Amino acid sequence: MRLSTLLCSAAVLVGEVAAHGYVPWIRINGQTIAGWDVNKDPYTTPQPLRVVRGTKQDSGFIADPTSTDITCSIGNQALPPGPISATVAAGGTVDVLWNTWPLGHYGPVLNYMAKCPTSDCSTYKGDSGSPWFKIQQSVYANGEWASDTLAKSNFTYSVKIPSNIAPGAYLLRHENLALHGASNQGGAQFYPVCIQLTVTGGGSLNPSGLSFPGTYKATDPGILFNVYQGDAANQAYVPPGGSVYPGLT
Ligand SMILES: *[C@@H]1O[C@H](CO)[C@@H](O)[C@H](O)[C@H]1NC(C)=O
Ligand SMILES: [Cu+2]
């Protein structure tokens, strides 16, 4: 994508790879499940059904946190998601397998869920009301941003599904937020991915409260942030979207 290439040139100058990632696989209980391969799936006829929602035919970023792209990915609102989901037990783990992720796209990894109003998420956009709740976030630890930790972990990030949410159909919104250019307003880069899940077992908790778009503002202290101020400032970083929803186990 030309725009991403241009805006990522700062990263190239400091010796980083200007390739973004996408999520061609997830893994649950050791089983690898196809995600969305931006280089193959859009060109395959018939278009394959995937548990990871399709994105427009690139792996570029979203710069405007108030755009409708912020819900699930670039162009997501226009693409028909398939009636398919990956089953995971409440309390279980979904490994998100990115194809790649550049070192130096410093930032947190944020994870949200939204319960779909029917037993099948395929027609649910999740872009109105406040269905989302934060389940897990990784920020900055031991002098390293979570994005770099992900990149060094074979591009894999493990999301624990809360054990006490109600069973049913959910969207898992997994997001890399790259802040390497975020000291200027509009410089943060959002890379959300939505995964269609069927959660089994669980409890009776039905959390909600966050909106995409809605929750994020370009001027949030976790979005307009200079990652080059040093360790103490990075440790004090407060990610957007608030804390993990209270009471999740
Ligand atoms: C890294 O991830 C890829 C893709 O998921 C996988 O094929 C490979 O086995 C993984 N390598 C290691 C060392 O885990
Ligand atoms: Cu980039």
Side-chain angles (χ1 to χ4, degrees):
M1 179 184 176
R2 184 171 294 126
L3 187 62
S4 346
T5 311
L6 186 67
L7 293 179
C8 283
S9 56
V12 178
L13 289 178
V14 291
E16 292 151 13
V17 183
H20 299 110
Y22 53 91
V23 178
W25 316 280
I26 65 169
R27 189 172 52 218
I28 296 174
N29 287 331
Q31 190 199 347
T32 302
I33 301 166
W36 178 259
D37 189 326
V38 297
N39 293 318
K40 287 188 194 143
D41 292 342
Y43 309 105
T44 304
T45 307
Q47 196 156 293
L49 294 182
R50 300 299 193 204
V51 298
V52 173
R53 288 199 170 182
T55 187
K56 222 168 149 184
Q57 296 167 22
D58 61 57
S59 56
F61 60 86
I62 296 158
D64 177 2
T66 65
S67 93
T68 52
D69 287 344
I70 202 73
T71 316
C72 279
S73 64
I74 298 172
N76 174 272
Q77 302 305 318
L79 286 172
I84 183 175
S85 66
T87 298
V88 60
T93 300
V94 176
D95 293 331
V96 182
L97 278 50
W98 290 76
N99 70 316
T100 187
W101 193 254
L103 287 170
H105 272 34
Y106 304 122
V109 182
L110 309 168
N111 303 275
Y112 304 83
M113 290 176 81
K115 196 162 196 286
C116 302
T118 62
S119 61
D120 165 13
C121 287
S122 64
T123 58
Y124 184 54
K125 290 186 175 178
D127 62 349
S128 63
S130 306
W132 297 94
F133 55 101
K134 190 180 274 183
I135 60 165
Q136 181 178 323
Q137 57 190 350
S138 305
V139 181
Y140 181 86
N142 305 315
E144 186 170 275
W145 285 97
S147 56
D148 275 0
T149 309
L150 181 156
K152 293 174 185 175
S153 308
N154 197 22
F155 313 116
T156 299
Y157 183 93
S158 296
V159 183
K160 181 185 175 277
I161 304 303
S163 58
N164 57 347
I165 55 172
Y170 285 86
L171 292 177
L172 167 61
R173 181 181 180 281
H174 167 79
E175 176 179 45
N176 263 305
L177 169 51
L179 300 171
H180 54 294
S183 54
N184 296 315
Q185 190 175 323
Q189 303 181 352
F190 302 85
Y191 302 84
V193 174
C194 284
I195 302 168
Q196 298 183 170
L197 296 177
T198 297
V199 175
T200 59
S204 56
L205 211 59
N206 275 300
S208 64
L210 302 178
S211 315
F212 290 104
T215 291
Y216 289 1
K217 304 274 183 299
T219 51
D220 284 350
I223 291 176
L224 179 58
F225 183 81
N226 182 352
V227 289
Y228 305 106
Q229 299 171 100
D231 196 61
N234 289 345
Q235 284 183 41
Y237 171 81
V238 177
S243 308
V244 166
Y245 191 88
L248 295 177
T249 56

